[in-house]
Amino acid sequence: MSRKLYLVASFLFLTLLQHFAFAQSASITWTPTTRLTYQDFQISPAGNSIHLSLNYEYELIPQPFGKYTPIVKATATLDPTLSTLSEANEINLRYAQIYFNIYGYGARLIQVKTVEMGTLQGNTESIRSVMNRHYGQISLRVKQLTNAFDTDLKVKPVPEVLDQWERDVQRLTEETPEVEIKNQLSKWQLGMYAGVGRNVMQGKTKSYFTDATSFNFGFSFDVKKSRFSWDMNLGFNRTIDYFERRGVWEPGTKASLATFEFTYGRKLQRQDWLWVPYVGLGVNEFTPRGNDDNDRRNLTGYVPVVGLEITRYLKHTIHPGQRSGFFCKTRLSASPTTFFTNFTGTHLNLRLAIGFDAARVKKEMAYVKKNVVI
């Protein structure tokens, strides 16, 4: 018995799934390049019946001081299952296409008028009332156009009417800018990363210390194309030769190298790759590892820093009001450190890290920029 119920339930589920898939794919959405074909209609002696819908949905984005920005998505659709032609000929198909294009013009007009409205003051109910009135006016405009089209067909030769209306509707559509809904990032974003690094000694420093392997972590703060970074490394190495500096450093002494860089860079981005050449100031400090509170041995140098950061974004996720980016990055910098005369030398610092950044994001409606061909 349970097996039969399972089979019946499976059959009903598959039937509903197929019906849903068909319903989803049945309607044809208007675009400026969409061209209807005879296969989009049923052939019926009852005559031409073009089943079109002008649809729109919107959300209200809160703004300061009790204002809202409406974000509207409008579409014109044709339902092939309900649309008929009296016969499959060019005149009927052109007639249906003009109707479809008039509705498409209406959908585009809804979005343009919404952009022109800008932000609206008031509570959500009053703003929804304004939006519904706005939609009704454009629906009336579409109805007036289709009525005028049908009237012309009754009093003028059909081929001339079709030619004239094709030109007029195309002109109306071209004169009405295309609008897109896009996610606009805020002017600033925050990032955090962690990884490993290698500090390569040069000059006189190399005679006294081995290269250091380090842990790396840092933060970034971006404002438009500018990036401010605070980068920190904690490295581990050993002394090579004997020297004295606030105490005796024996050969083989385990040492820690702490480096700090505060930098400013300019962001250069192409798709998922980001290059940031940067300059700044840094601090390099050697101290014995595991020293007690009375051990005053250290070498500290304050340095200029120049470098390049290369970031590869692996994934972006958009949540309501926020976009997050996950990345891996390489930072390569050089710092000509002067501890004192006998230890002058440039440090080359290579870091590999992974991290994420986050920025506030808001939806906005904007005119689509057309590519200009010269």
Side-chain angles (χ1 to χ4, degrees):
M1 183 66 179
S2 59
R3 179 176 176 79
K4 289 183 179 180
L5 288 174
Y6 174 80
L7 292 174
V8 170
S10 299
F11 174 78
L12 290 174
F13 174 77
L14 291 173
T15 301
L16 289 172
L17 187 63
Q18 289 173 349
H19 174 74
F20 179 78
F22 176 77
Q24 289 292 95
S25 61
S27 63
I28 300 172
T29 301
W30 179 88
T31 71
T33 58
T34 302
R35 293 295 173 262
L36 301 176
T37 66
Y38 298 122
Q39 287 72 33
D40 298 327
F41 300 89
Q42 311 294 322
I43 304 302
S44 171
N48 296 337
S49 176
I50 317 302
H51 197 278
L52 294 164
S53 300
L54 185 58
N55 319 293
Y56 90 120
E57 58 185 22
Y58 62 87
E59 60 179 311
L60 301 177
I61 307 299
Q63 303 295 338
F65 309 111
K67 295 183 178 181
Y68 293 86
T69 298
I71 303 295
V72 174
K73 180 181 180 181
T75 58
T77 57
L78 178 140
D79 189 341
T81 62
L82 301 176
S83 299
T84 63
L85 298 178
S86 60
E87 57 180 288
N89 60 42
E90 183 182 357
I91 294 295
N92 285 340
L93 191 60
R94 290 175 67 188
Y95 170 82
Q97 184 70 56
I98 291 171
Y99 250 81
F100 196 30
N101 290 346
I102 291 174
Y103 272 71
Y105 158 70
R108 182 173 283 192
L109 189 60
I110 288 175
Q111 292 190 296
V112 168
K113 293 300 182 182
T114 304
V115 172
E116 293 175 351
M117 290 168 66
T119 57
L120 301 174
Q121 181 83 45
N123 57 46
T124 56
E125 289 303 317
S126 64
I127 292 175
R128 291 184 192 281
S129 180
V130 170
M131 295 298 299
N132 292 333
R133 185 167 62 251
H134 159 75
Y135 169 74
Q137 291 170 349
I138 294 175
S139 296
L140 179 61
R141 168 64 173 158
V142 169
K143 188 65 176 178
Q144 291 170 341
L145 286 172
T146 55
N147 287 343
F149 176 41
D150 286 333
T151 300
D152 285 352
L153 285 171
K154 294 176 182 178
V155 298
K156 298 177 184 178
V158 171
E160 293 180 11
V161 172
L162 295 179
D163 290 342
Q164 184 62 47
W165 274 87
E166 282 172 343
R167 291 192 296 268
D168 289 347
V169 176
Q170 181 178 358
R171 176 180 54 80
L172 285 173
T173 303
E174 291 176 349
E175 290 176 352
T176 307
E178 185 178 355
V179 174
E180 64 180 346
I181 299 173
K182 60 182 183 179
N183 292 312
Q184 180 65 37
L185 292 178
S186 65
K187 297 179 181 180
W188 57 270
Q189 67 181 27
L190 296 173
M192 182 172 65
Y193 56 89
V196 295
R198 185 72 173 173
N199 304 86
V200 180
M201 312 301 166
Q202 302 291 317
K204 294 180 180 179
T205 309
K206 190 175 183 64
S207 301
Y208 293 94
F209 289 95
T210 62
D211 297 340
T213 298
S214 59
F215 295 110
N216 168 243
F217 56 98
F219 305 91
S220 62
F221 177 71
D222 297 355
V223 181
K224 295 183 179 179
K225 295 289 186 178
S226 298
R227 168 163 290 183
F228 299 90
S229 296
W230 176 244
D231 189 89
M232 296 157 279
N233 283 273
L234 179 61
F236 306 98
N237 61 348
R238 295 173 181 269
T239 59
I240 297 174
D241 202 354
Y242 172 93
F243 66 92
E244 293 185 15
R245 180 63 177 175
R246 295 186 175 182
V248 175
W249 298 66
E250 297 287 349
T253 300
K254 294 180 179 180
S256 297
L257 170 62
T259 65
F260 305 90
E261 295 179 358
F262 180 73
T263 59
Y264 166 79
R266 192 69 176 171
K267 295 165 61 177
L268 306 171
Q269 187 157 6
R270 184 177 179 85
Q271 296 179 346
D272 291 330
W273 288 92
L274 177 67
W275 291 265
V276 185
Y278 61 85
V279 295
L281 297 174
V283 180
N284 295 331
E285 181 181 65
F286 287 106
T287 55
R289 232 181 301 167
N291 58 331
D292 57 39
D293 294 339
N294 296 322
D295 192 339
R296 301 180 58 231
R297 290 177 295 173
N298 71 74
L299 293 174
T300 302
Y302 300 92
V303 297
V305 176
V306 61
L308 175 66
E309 176 183 309
I310 302 175
T311 300
R312 173 68 164 87
Y313 280 94
L314 306 174
K315 183 180 180 182
H316 284 105
T317 57
I318 296 180
H319 310 284
Q322 178 179 299
R323 190 196 74 166
S324 300
F326 298 88
F327 58 79
C328 59
K329 74 161 61 182
T330 300
R331 279 174 65 97
L332 177 63
S333 66
S335 54
T337 303
T338 302
F339 296 106
F340 59 94
T341 304
N342 293 336
F343 291 88
T344 301
T346 298
H347 288 197
L348 299 180
N349 306 309
L350 175 65
R351 282 140 291 179
L352 303 175
I354 58 173
F356 70 93
D357 56 27
R360 290 181 59 84
V361 64
K362 62 179 181 179
K363 287 184 180 180
E364 67 172 20
M365 301 181 69
Y367 296 119
V368 175
K369 295 181 179 179
K370 303 295 184 180
N371 293 326
V372 179
V373 180
I374 301 177

